[in-house]
Amino acid sequence: MLPQYHILNGDALKYQFPKALKGKLIIARECFIEGTTKGDDFDSFFANRANFICKNYGETEENYLKNVKSEFQKILDITKNCEINLWFEHDLFCQANLWFVTSLIIENPSLKTIFLIMPKEHSQYGFSRLSETELTLAYKHRKLVNNILDFAKLWRYYQNNDLGRLKQMAINLQEEFPFILPAVEAHIARIPQENYPGRPVASILSIMNELQTDDFTLIFREFCKRESIYGFGDLQVKKLVEQASAYK
C-alpha cells in the first residue's frame, strides 16, 4: 500500500480526524476567499498573503510563516510516490483553498494518485457534524481525481480574476464535480455591481431588515443558514456587516 497524505481543510478536522486512518496530516490554514492572490512564485505569493493577514487579523508574520506557509510547503516537499487525500467541503471558502492546493500538487508530475473526500451533502456544518465513524465512511467513498490539472486551472482563473474562464471550467467539470459551479457562481455574485453591493452584503441587509436587528449573533446565524455556499466564518461576516452599514 502506498504511503498516504491527508490534506485537511482546517484544524477543526485535524482534532476530530479518525485515529484508524493512517498517514501524514497537512493543514490548509488559509482563507483565499479574501485578500490578495497575487504573487509570481511561492515565496512572493506568501509574502503578500502574510502582509494581508497580519494587517487585517492581527497575526504576526513569524507565526503566519510558521503555521500557515510551512504547511503548504509540505505539499511541495512530497517527493515519493504516494496517495494524496484532499479533505474539503462544497463551499466557496473550502473550494478556493482546494484549488490552490491542487496548483501545488501539479508542481510534481509524479503525484498522480489523488482522491477527493467530501461530506455526502452540502450543509453549513460540513465535516464538523460527522463522527469518526462517518468520517471513516467518507474516506471509504473517496473519489479518484483524474483531472487534477483542471482543478489547478480553476485556481489560476480565480487568482487572475478571469471570471469567464473560471465559470466555463466549472461548467466543463459539472457532470463529474457538480459542487464546483455553485461555488463559482457564488463567487461571481459577491462582486459589487454599480449600486448593488454583491450577494453577501445584500443578504446581510435583507437579514437585518427582516429580523429588525443589529445583533451580530443573530445575523451571523441566519447568514450561515441562508448563505452556507460561502462558508464564511464570523470574521468574514463581521466585515460584511460593516460594509452593509454603508447601505442602510
Side-chain angles (χ1 to χ4, degrees):
M1 183 177 179
L2 292 173
Q4 295 199 54
Y5 287 84
H6 300 277
I7 303 178
L8 312 184
N9 70 335
D11 285 290
L13 181 55
K14 174 186 176 182
Y15 297 134
Q16 67 186 110
F17 196 76
K19 298 178 180 62
L21 297 182
K22 305 303 179 183
K24 296 182 178 180
L25 305 185
I26 297 175
I27 317 300
R29 297 186 179 109
E30 250 288 6
C31 54
F32 296 128
I33 43 84
E34 62 173 340
T36 180
T37 55
K38 301 305 178 184
D40 295 328
D41 53 38
F42 185 82
D43 289 332
S44 64
F45 174 80
F46 276 104
N48 292 337
R49 289 299 301 174
N51 184 58
F52 169 77
I53 295 295
C54 293
K55 283 185 176 179
N56 289 272
Y57 289 103
E59 182 61 276
T60 66
E61 182 176 358
E62 180 182 5
N63 284 341
Y64 179 85
L65 297 178
K66 177 183 177 182
N67 297 320
V68 180
K69 181 184 177 183
S70 63
E71 289 295 302
F72 292 106
Q73 180 65 53
K74 291 177 183 178
I75 300 173
L76 295 178
D77 291 342
I78 299 173
T79 56
K80 56 187 176 183
N81 190 23
C82 64
E83 290 183 0
I84 296 180
N85 298 290
L86 305 171
W87 294 74
F88 288 87
E89 299 171 20
H90 301 78
D91 58 81
L92 177 62
F93 189 115
C94 255
Q95 285 301 298
N97 286 5
L98 170 62
W99 304 338
F100 177 73
V101 165
T102 60
S103 76
L104 299 182
I105 291 174
I106 65 167
E107 292 293 314
N108 185 346
S110 66
L111 300 179
K112 297 179 179 178
T113 311
I114 301 157
F115 295 93
L116 181 60
I117 301 163
M118 308 187 84
K120 187 175 181 180
E121 297 178 352
H122 171 59
S123 77
Q124 68 186 88
Y125 304 109
F127 287 125
S128 66
R129 287 289 180 90
L130 302 186
S131 65
E132 281 199 20
T133 299
E134 291 169 321
L135 289 169
T136 301
L137 186 62
Y139 169 81
K140 290 180 179 178
H141 289 91
R142 58 186 180 162
K143 181 178 179 60
L144 183 65
V145 179
N146 292 311
N147 41 3
I148 195 72
L149 287 174
D150 289 338
F151 274 79
K153 287 178 181 177
L154 287 168
W155 170 255
R156 186 167 75 244
Y157 300 148
Y158 176 82
Q159 179 183 34
N160 295 324
N161 200 33
D162 191 338
L163 302 180
R165 289 185 178 180
L166 179 65
K167 184 170 183 178
Q168 186 57 55
M169 180 57 71
I171 292 171
N172 294 346
L173 294 168
Q174 187 173 19
E175 183 174 353
E176 188 173 5
F177 301 102
F179 57 85
I180 297 176
L181 184 58
V184 167
E185 290 178 333
H187 169 57
I188 294 172
R190 69 182 176 140
I191 300 171
Q193 302 289 335
E194 296 182 1
N195 294 324
Y196 180 68
R199 174 175 161 182
V201 174
S203 183
I204 292 289
L205 288 167
S206 178
I207 291 168
M208 295 172 75
N209 182 57
E210 291 175 27
L211 301 184
Q212 288 295 295
T213 185
D214 291 320
D215 185 297
F216 177 75
T217 301
L218 296 178
I219 295 169
F220 177 68
R221 185 183 303 138
E222 186 63 22
F223 181 86
C224 290
K225 186 187 303 181
R226 296 187 187 186
E227 301 288 1
S228 59
I229 188 62
Y230 285 104
F232 290 165
D234 57 346
L235 295 177
Q236 286 82 42
V237 177
K238 281 180 181 177
K239 289 186 177 181
L240 294 175
V241 171
E242 291 172 2
Q243 294 171 32
S245 64
Y247 289 87
K248 291 182 67 177

